Amino acid sequence: MLACGAANTAKLLLISASDEHPNGLANASDQVGRNYMFHNSQAVLALSHDENPTVFQKTLGLNDFYFAGKGHDYPLGNIQMVGKSQAPMYRGEKPVQTRLAPHWTLERIARHAVDFWLSTEDLPRPENRVTVDGDGKLTLAYTATNETPKKQLHKQLGSMLESLRMEPDHLFHRFAYMKNDIPVAGVAHQAGTCRMGSDPETSVVDRDCRAHEVDNLYVVDTSVFPSIGAVNPALTAMANSLRVGDHLLERLGARAEVASASV
Ligand SMILES: Cc1cc2nc3c(=O)[nH]c(=O)nc-3n(C[C@H](O)[C@H](O)[C@H](O)COP(=O)(O)OP(=O)(O)OC[C@H]3O[C@@H](n4cnc5c(N)ncnc54)[C@H](O)[C@@H]3O)c2cc1C
């Protein structure tokens, strides 16, 4: 069972080449390491007319723009709240003005801040991939995808601010969080490098997360995601692992029954 995370699971398979699997374990299709995805994420801050004393802000999210709909022919993604920002946090952010601002101004911003997290789907591209050289050094080649819906989701949120009693033209990018423009080594929601599918030519594992080529090899981390969607991945990874666990119990149980019947 492999669950080393999308980059390291691919690495382990790629460095496990042998005479039987010269291209890496379970990699006759050359799919291991490909289709690396994370998320087009944007952390933004709006300013409310009213004070925002919320402590557990992260409990709210909405999927009204998750699918194509009025005004957009394609899915835009998910809008959720992110942990409530505090004045000292702004000091660590990118714009130099934030670092130099007097503390009372930051305190005032924090009192009125409403913090959003926007997630747009990253699309699987075979060229976005993990490779490993002869010394075992992992390289990630990545080009961003799906930029237009990402911008449109930002615009969509901006268009709703006034009716939410927030400053209409103030939607600031937060730089304290993961963003696409930080180095790729900072990615968090990695997935896709051993995609699940029914065709061994275009996928690494089958629907039960069993490697097409190796009967007793399973992958249960986010590597198996054929798409990343626009919601956080951890619960999906956990739910899928439980599903695969049930499959294994069934498979091993069936084997035990055959063994005891033959005795
Ligand atoms: C800063 C940050 C914030 C995040 N916030 C959220 C969030 O709010 N919600 C959400 O849903 N997701 C969030 N994520 C993403 C989430 O953590 C991942 O999607 C999830 O943990 C992926 O699970 P996984 O099993 O694929 O891999 P991981 O959880 O990364 O587990 C892989 C494990 O394998 C181990 N490993 C690696 N190589 C080897 C090896 N060769 N041998 C043995 N062990 C090895 C690693 O040490 C690690 O313990 C966040 C991630 C980060 C980094």
Side-chain angles (χ1 to χ4, degrees):
M1 300 287 285
L2 274 187
C4 295
N8 283 308
T9 287
K11 177 182 173 181
L12 209 53
L13 292 173
L14 291 171
I15 61 175
S16 300
S18 62
D19 289 345
E20 210 179 326
H21 300 273
N23 212 17
L25 197 56
N27 193 30
S29 61
D30 192 30
Q31 289 298 310
V32 171
R34 293 187 183 273
N35 305 300
Y36 183 100
M37 297 166 281
F38 66 122
H39 270 135
N40 282 321
S41 301
Q42 307 173 79
V44 290
L45 178 153
L47 288 174
S48 172
H49 293 305
D50 308 304
E51 291 198 1
N52 175 16
T54 317
V55 177
F56 300 111
Q57 184 175 249
K58 209 182 166 180
T59 49
L60 192 68
L62 58 103
N63 283 325
D64 296 44
F65 313 103
Y66 197 93
F67 297 113
K70 211 172 142 198
H72 47 100
D73 300 336
Y74 33 77
L76 300 190
N78 162 269
I79 299 178
Q80 57 181 287
M81 311 307 293
V82 70
K84 177 76 184 76
S85 60
Q86 308 293 336
M89 294 164 71
Y90 304 141
R91 290 256 180 247
E93 302 215 353
K94 217 173 186 179
V96 71
Q97 297 89 328
T98 327
R99 267 178 253 156
L100 300 177
H103 190 71
W104 66 266
T105 57
L106 301 182
E107 283 286 356
R108 204 158 161 212
I109 291 172
R111 273 204 301 279
H112 290 262
V114 182
D115 312 84
F116 294 96
W117 181 265
L118 311 180
S119 291
T120 298
E121 190 161 355
D122 183 13
L123 305 178
R125 290 179 75 238
E127 301 77 20
N128 284 348
R129 66 184 297 202
V130 167
T131 50
V132 186
D133 69 15
D135 297 326
K137 182 170 167 270
L138 189 151
T139 302
L140 174 57
Y142 180 80
T143 305
T145 70
N146 223 14
E147 284 290 307
T148 306
K150 173 186 158 186
K151 286 186 189 137
Q152 215 166 333
L153 187 61
H154 184 271
K155 207 165 141 197
Q156 177 67 48
L157 177 62
S159 73
M160 302 187 300
L161 293 180
E162 197 164 8
S163 51
L164 293 169
R165 285 190 51 74
M166 295 182 203
E167 289 291 336
D169 299 319
H170 291 70
L171 199 53
F172 302 103
H173 273 284
R174 296 285 316 278
F175 293 95
Y177 292 94
M178 173 189 80
K179 270 181 56 67
N180 277 340
D181 53 9
I182 65 170
V184 78
V187 301
H189 292 185
Q190 53 180 338
T193 52
C194 299
R195 73 197 318 204
M196 187 194 308
S198 49
D199 183 355
E201 298 286 318
T202 56
S203 59
V204 178
V205 298
D206 67 13
R207 58 183 293 170
D208 295 321
C209 296
R210 185 180 66 84
H212 289 300
E213 291 165 42
V214 187
D215 183 48
N216 62 347
L217 172 62
Y218 285 80
V219 179
V220 288
D221 56 28
T222 56
S223 313
V224 302
F225 286 17
S227 65
I228 183 76
V231 289
N232 298 12
L235 292 176
T236 307
M238 292 175 207
N240 185 52
S241 312
L242 293 171
R243 185 184 68 89
V244 175
D246 285 343
H247 160 76
L248 284 170
L249 284 176
E250 214 170 277
R251 189 176 167 190
L252 295 171
R255 200 172 274 179
E257 269 171 35
V258 172
S260 64
S262 60
V263 171

